[in-house]
Amino acid sequence: MRNTNNELQRYTAAYFSNEDDLKGSTAEARLRGFTIHDVFSPFPVHGMDEAMGLKPSRITWAAFAGGLAGLVTAVVLQIWTSAYDWALNIGGKPFNTPLLFVPVSFELTVLFSGLTSVIVLFYLSGLNPFSKRKSLPGVNDDKFVLVLDHSGASFRKEAADEIFSKYNAEKVVEGDLV
Amino acid sequence: MDVPIEKLELSIDERRIRNEVGRITQHPAVSPLREPLVTGNKSYSDVTNDINVIHEQGAGLGWWIALAISSSLLLIGLIAGYLTVTVGIGTWGLNRTVGWAFDITNFVFWIGIGHAGTFISAILYLFNQKWRTSINRSAEAMTLIAVMCAGIFPIIHMGRPWLFYWFLPYPNSRGSLWVNFRSPLLWDFFAISTYFTISLVFWYIGLLPDIATARDRARTKFRRKLYTILSLGWNGSNRTWSRYETVYGILAALATPLVLSVHSIVSFDFATSLIPGWHSTIFPPYFVAGAVFSGFAMVMTLMILVRKVMNLEDYITLDHFEKMCKVTLLTGSIVGLAYITELWTGFYSGNPNEIFMIINRVLGPYAWAYWIMFTFNALVPQLFWFKRFRRSIPLIFVLSIFINIGMWFERFVIIMISLHRDYLPSSWTYYLPTTVEAGLLIGSFGLFFTAFLIFLRLFPIIAASEVKGVLKYAKH
Amino acid sequence: MKGEKLWKEFLDTDESGKPAAPKLPVYGISRRSFLSALGYSAVGLSLLNCRVPEQKIVPNLAKSPEQTPGVANWYASTCSGCSAGCGTLVKVRDGRPIKIEGNPAHPVSKGGLCAVAHSLVFSLYDSERLKQPLIGGQPSDWTEVDRQVGAKLASIKQSRGKVRFLSNTIISPTSKALIDNFLGTYEDARHIVYEPVSTAAISAAHLETHGVGSIPGYKIQNAKLLVSFDADFLGTWISPVRFTKDYSAARDLKNGQRSMLRHIQYEARMSVTGANADTRFTTSSAEQNEALTFLLTALVEKSGQSKSVNYNLLPPSGISPQMTQHLETTADELLNHRGESLVICGSNDPDVQLVVNFINETLGNYGTTIDVNSPSPHTQNSDGTFAGLIEEMKNGEVAALFLLNVNPAYDCYAAKEFTEALKKVPLKVSFDPTLDETALSADFVCPNHHSLEAWDDAETDSGIYSFNQPTIAPLFQTRAYQESLMRWSGDVRSFYDVLRQTWQQTNFTKQTKFSKFDDFWDQSLHDGIFADQTVKEPVTRTFNDKGLNDALLRLNKTEQSDYSLVLYQKTSMRDGRFANSPWLQELPDPITKTSWGNYASISPGAAEKLSLTEGDVVSVKKNNSAIELPVLIQPGQSDDVVAVALGYGRTHAGKAGNGVGANAFPFVEFLNGTFRYQAANIDIAATGKRSELAKTQIEESSHGRPLAQNIALSQYVSGDHPIKQTEFEKLFAEHDYPEHKWGMVVDLSACTGCNSCVLSCQAENNIPVVGKQEVAKMRDMHWLRVDRYIDSNPDGTEVTFQPLPCMQCENASCEMVCPVLATVHSSEGLNMQVYNRCVGTRYCANNCAYKVRHFNWFDYPRDDKLANMALNPDVTVRTRGVMEKCTFCVQRIEEKKIQARNEGRPIKDGEIQTACQQSCPADAIIFGDLKDLNSMVNANKKSGRNYILLEDLNTKPAVSYLAKVRNRKESKEDH
């Protein structure tokens, strides 16, 4: 990763063997003013968001918006096609039969909402089939990694090491973020 | 700043930090009485290995034999499908009174099977049932495959299946002739495509971390390439995990009403019509319960096989089966209650057509189908009241197959028996399936098992990341 | 280009008189050639500018002024299906006859038609018809035929050999004269009329009692009480369409009448007629003859007449006490209706007919309901003469035999004997249009035109002359048999000229309206009929009662037997002449609802006794004749009767007719001068085999559901009956029908269940034939079906018919469920099916409470290009995988709407007729605009008998029914 000055950024990655150490070290590092680049784990660790100080995701709102769009699309499409664009006498029923439009409206609401939330997830997390992004070694197996960013003014190597050792870091790696 | 942290004076700041860290790292209260969800005292790495080894190692002889059998069945289905499409629906045993029989029976049957997967992955997720993690991946795969099997039938049952896209409301050269949004078949089309899409997305999202694991472990070029594309660059970042969990929750929340709606809508095919035996308000809940019931039976059948063949006894434990048996018992009893309610409302209606329909079901020419249904669905699961039976794998296996047979007959009874004798005795007929129809049913099982076998060889069949998350379920 | 070639050949034939040499390809006729050939014929009914038909062909460049492409012309003609001679209108579209309908102006059939008539279109386009004459079975040409036959005839003339002309009943005076003319040039020549299913006994009996050797005119419309003994006069007996018209007119309640003809039927099997009777009694075969003699005795006793009945000769009553009681009651009823009753009998035993004549004479019915002064010209056959012919042939006396429209090698009581004897005839000339069982052994087969290609006339009732006019140029190298005969006697004229000359000499002189013959001719052709108005002095006939005692003596010797075989004709197949018509084969029998084949019909009691179930194959044996047939269980049939339909088991009928069912003609007996269609003492035994019956309805009973509703006349008159219409609460606003709303009323009281409507619909709407196996799978495609319910009630077995077209529901349940809008409602109240939008989910059919939708399970064969000529271009031919159903003949509605619009007038009530309605011989179907408050259909919907089928469903059908009224008010037998 390059900063705005196009300089390579430095990082320190600490590997832990369990989620508790990761969570503790992350919380501690954040509270002590370190810039947490990211945390990597094989499974979602409970309380990690809080440890990292992440705000609740707004994807929920996107899902709601998507659902609303689906509902509106469905209702408008059904009423417009059935009662206005080409109204046909079907089984003697009135042209506009809102009750009979409920199932499709529901399904489209769900579909739009679900797809929107997934698309937003992919977009925000940079997930796409062409991504060449790799995981840190062992992250998808049994390793828990805390990556601290050097760029912030608050980075102090000794303090960091101290936190790492307090939480039984298995190894600490320093390098450039590419 | 060389002073070690612990030697620093505990400033107010420091105390605040310690409290905060302590709060964050605190464990939720866990009952020590809990049985571990995964036995064998596995480490994270063990889990990774156990699960990934299954699809990484060369397929065993058993798998190949199974594939040979299931793909032969699939071939039978393909031939039957070819005949149906090229020669016509006339190759089936339908007639002018019985317009649907095996086709829609199979369709409803397979859709029903699918419901267990969604039930396990979504509803149990929302109810925080941790035990679902060992089976949700395969159950969801089963859902997808079952919905595919189901989806074939509404298409192939059409007189002109090549025009199935006319179900879509798209502007067309007929200026613009739209579709009939009042038709339950159209609702079906929307419900099933939504159901399939959401289930697929749900399954795929859940699969992402495990695909990333597989990618990291991949040794062949093909697998590396495949998993690199499919993993979408997953790196286990907590920021992603955080959003992932949100989306997973949203999808679970969406899939829950969806699973209830799909079979309700399928039941509308019948409930909104005017045929005695179809026209019934009890159908939506009755169908949903039946769907979950049959789906769990199918999950149990599959899991018993998978567990045995893939040596997953530690992950899919007797406790899992016991819990599934309880669900089966509950839903089976609901279904049994529905049968009795149906009889009651039929007679209570005072409508001669309804009364005749009931009598014809119970005592008519196809009464045997009714009694297979009643015995297998309403009576057989009652055995699960006994813990002994809930923990006997061979018995569960046999009963789950009975339930599947029974549930197939339930749809057959509802569809065929209601149709063959309706309002005008002049149009009463009988129905006998042809070999082509039997071939399609066999073929759908062929497709189901073939696809499932391929799934077993291609993806981690247990949600490793989720299992890791509950590994310490009983340890704390 | 093929068309042009045909054209050339045709011209050559016509102008040079030489037959065209090359063979024609079977399918080599294009539409264009029909167009160009059209000038050949006739005057359009629908056109005012009648013109003289030309015997020359007009090239396509000079288009016939009658011809507008896309607009149908209608030509009045006469049905050649049987000797009844019903008036037809042939619909010709773009040079092709495509449909036959009834001619409302015809006094005999009054617009009604039977199923057989509709099938004539199909037989015209039968690719198995002979394409040229055959000599010794080898294709030849007319020059050669004329040369060889001429030579042989010349030598016969010299050697004074016997010449015999064997034909069916010829109702054409001109042709009959022409045949007589031809035969007159030979020393010993006779015209022998043969009918495989004979009613000659009636003629014989009348010859004895009245001196008139023909069938008298039955005037059902003059009767108040009709008692029929085994006469299926609404089905196949003598002139069923005419009888149905008269019968339903006499029983019509539509215009506020409060009384109707009462009909009592005594019969051994369940016939269409019996099903319609107000009171029906099942007689055992042993009782049949005795019942009549008993009735006669009762009548004579009760009426106090003595006549010459010798009481001592009457047998001690072997009939059941119950039957005795019924007959006594019937005798009382008959005596209450002296002079306005009619007793008829279907037996072909002259003795029985003699007794019937005596009964009618005792009741004073001659002169009122039976007219011997205007005898029917049809069925002039004499069974004895035919039997004599076989003897002559056997003895080698016959030098030349001409066969016209007869097939004795198949349908005669002694077919084998006939075939053997035929070999001894040196010259055998057949005029059969197909190579049937008899034509097979002919030396010369000189194929006659199909009746739709030929000129002829007909005297269908005494004094009523009608035309048979060609509606298409002959498709093949066929020649009218009249012209063949003329060529062989050196006459080179065309038969058309002969016909004109004859009419000029005869009928033209009987009228005063036209002074020019051409005008007279045109008008007669246009109308299709000419009624001779000259009043004839009624001849007083004295009733000759001498034969009665002998007859009674003979009848006394009724054989007692366990099982008797009753041979009958089905309304569709009749005597098997049209067995190659898939339409007729597939048309279900009104009573048994079985198509494609015959069966041994036995009563439920007999089935139990013989432990047989439906579909078990039995062998039926008598003497040397044995056939194997599947069993059909028929309620309402006598326990000692096995009923088998004639007309099946053809071996040389063609693709459709060969090998369908078994031939029962060998069981016909020749006794006392007539053919008998009942055989006592037959053996019936199970074979252990099974054979599926192709039934279109397998459930007999209505299960007590109020579907085809019945009320008694007394109930109808008093208004005290359960028929009612309910007004349902409206859940939502109804749609508007701004201009028209089409509706239909079906009068179940009028409907006799004859199934003519079904075939009319099939012909009109291009409905495919699906074959026996598909029918057995209940996949028949008939858009209109006639449901029949057999229910047992205290009055015995009761059969009711209910024609079921699409109900055109206002709240159509089918429309709601179609996902792709392939079935929607029109602004005129029609439930429309859009074939090209249909994807074939069959949901609509499932959700149709009336089950009137039909699915195209396959691409039904349309590969016979010639047969495709019969297709109606106004109706789409449906492809595989789409749903189809009755459209209320929307094409006919649109046609009349366009016509009315062009003429700037509103549509007249009754102007639009659906195909089913048009052909109905009973006028049971009324169609019209419900928005027209004065329409017939609205008037009938207000009738007290009007009800809606499955009204509870609130589908609001546009079709409603008028409940069947049975006139069973008369005293004691009411239970």
Side-chain angles (χ1 to χ4, degrees), chain B residues 94-125:
Chain B
L94 304 171
N95 52 51
R96 64 171 152 85
T97 306
V98 182
W100 291 346
F102 261 45
D103 46 0
I104 302 300
T105 300
N106 296 342
F107 160 66
V108 182
F109 173 76
W110 282 117
I111 283 285
I113 295 294
H115 277 52
T118 324
F119 188 88
I120 289 167
S121 52
I123 297 181
L124 295 186
Y125 177 86

Side-chain angles (χ1 to χ4, degrees), chain C residues 401-664:
Chain C
L401 180 66
F402 295 91
L403 297 146
L404 172 67
N405 293 336
V406 287
N407 191 8
Y410 159 73
D411 58 20
C412 121
Y413 70 97
K416 270 191 204 138
E417 221 179 314
F418 178 86
T419 319
E420 283 306 308
L422 196 60
K423 286 180 187 154
K424 297 190 178 165
V425 180
L427 176 61
K428 307 172 279 285
V429 180
S430 168
F431 297 108
D432 264 345
T434 60
L435 202 58
D436 64 15
E437 291 84 345
T438 311
L440 213 55
S441 4
D443 307 313
F444 296 91
V445 184
C446 308
N448 188 13
H449 290 325
H450 187 274
S451 66
L452 290 174
E453 302 166 330
W455 278 107
D456 212 346
D457 60 357
E459 187 181 6
T460 53
D461 205 350
S462 58
I464 306 292
Y465 299 91
S466 61
F467 273 108
N468 191 92
Q469 53 175 330
T471 48
I472 187 170
L475 296 175
F476 308 121
Q477 299 292 300
T478 54
R479 187 167 75 182
Y481 76 91
Q482 295 96 333
E483 287 184 13
S484 293
L485 291 179
M486 283 156 66
R487 298 292 170 275
W488 300 335
S489 53
D491 189 342
V492 291
R493 286 178 302 164
S494 70
F495 179 62
Y496 172 72
D497 292 336
V498 175
L499 197 63
R500 274 178 64 93
Q501 276 170 23
T502 315
W503 273 62
Q504 191 156 17
Q505 285 153 16
T506 55
N507 291 335
F508 182 53
T509 60
K510 293 178 189 162
Q511 54 86 42
T512 48
K513 203 169 156 194
F514 297 97
S515 53
K516 273 170 70 189
F517 174 68
D518 281 348
D519 295 340
F520 166 68
W521 175 259
D522 286 352
Q523 188 59 44
S524 304
L525 261 187
H526 172 277
D527 297 344
I529 57 144
F530 165 71
D532 182 2
Q533 305 288 358
T534 46
V535 186
K536 274 187 237 156
E537 273 299 303
V539 188
T540 337
R541 311 258 179 200
T542 46
F543 191 82
N544 175 5
D545 54 8
K546 281 204 289 272
L548 182 62
N549 272 330
D550 291 343
L552 287 174
L553 252 180
R554 283 191 291 272
L555 288 176
N556 195 15
K557 295 175 194 148
T558 312
E559 270 184 282
Q560 292 295 325
S561 71
D562 286 344
Y563 291 101
S564 299
L565 184 66
V566 170
L567 301 169
Y568 67 98
Q569 298 182 90
K570 278 208 215 175
T571 50
S572 52
M573 199 43 60
R574 300 287 181 92
D575 57 12
R577 202 170 298 171
F578 298 101
N580 202 33
S581 165
W583 282 355
L584 291 177
Q585 291 281 9
E586 190 148 308
L587 189 68
D589 181 76
I591 300 292
T592 64
K593 300 304 283 177
T594 309
S595 65
W596 291 100
N598 55 352
Y599 32 79
S601 178
I602 58 174
S603 73
E608 203 176 325
K609 203 167 135 201
L610 295 163
S611 44
L612 291 169
T613 53
E614 203 152 280
D616 285 347
V617 175
V618 290
S619 78
V620 178
K621 275 189 216 143
K622 173 150 189 182
N623 304 334
N624 296 328
S625 309
I627 49 172
E628 288 192 358
L629 283 170
V631 157
L632 181 135
I633 296 169
Q634 179 60 54
Q637 183 171 315
S638 169
D639 284 344
D640 65 348
V641 159
V642 179
V644 175
L646 297 165
Y648 287 93
R650 290 283 305 268
T651 53
H652 291 83
K655 272 187 303 207
N658 288 347
V660 180
N663 185 3

Side-chain angles (χ1 to χ4, degrees), chain B residues 158-160 163 166, chain C residues 818 820-823 833-842 844 853 855 879-884:
Chain B
M158 287 163 42
R160 305 199 286 174
L163 299 175
W166 283 3
Chain C
C818 177
V820 293
L821 294 171
T823 181
Q833 179 69 25
V834 189
Y835 306 125
N836 57 355
R837 176 65 173 173
C838 176
V839 296
T841 66
R842 299 184 298 289
C844 53
R853 293 178 151 261
F855 186 66
T879 57
R880 188 190 113 198
V882 304
M883 197 57 76
E884 60 182 63

Side-chain angles (χ1 to χ4, degrees), chain C residues 268-290:
Chain C
R269 69 173 188 97
M270 179 63 85
S271 70
V272 179
T273 310
N276 284 289
D278 297 313
T279 309
R280 179 184 176 277
F281 301 110
T282 308
T283 53
S284 69
S285 70
E287 283 172 329
Q288 279 173 306
N289 291 346
E290 268 188 88

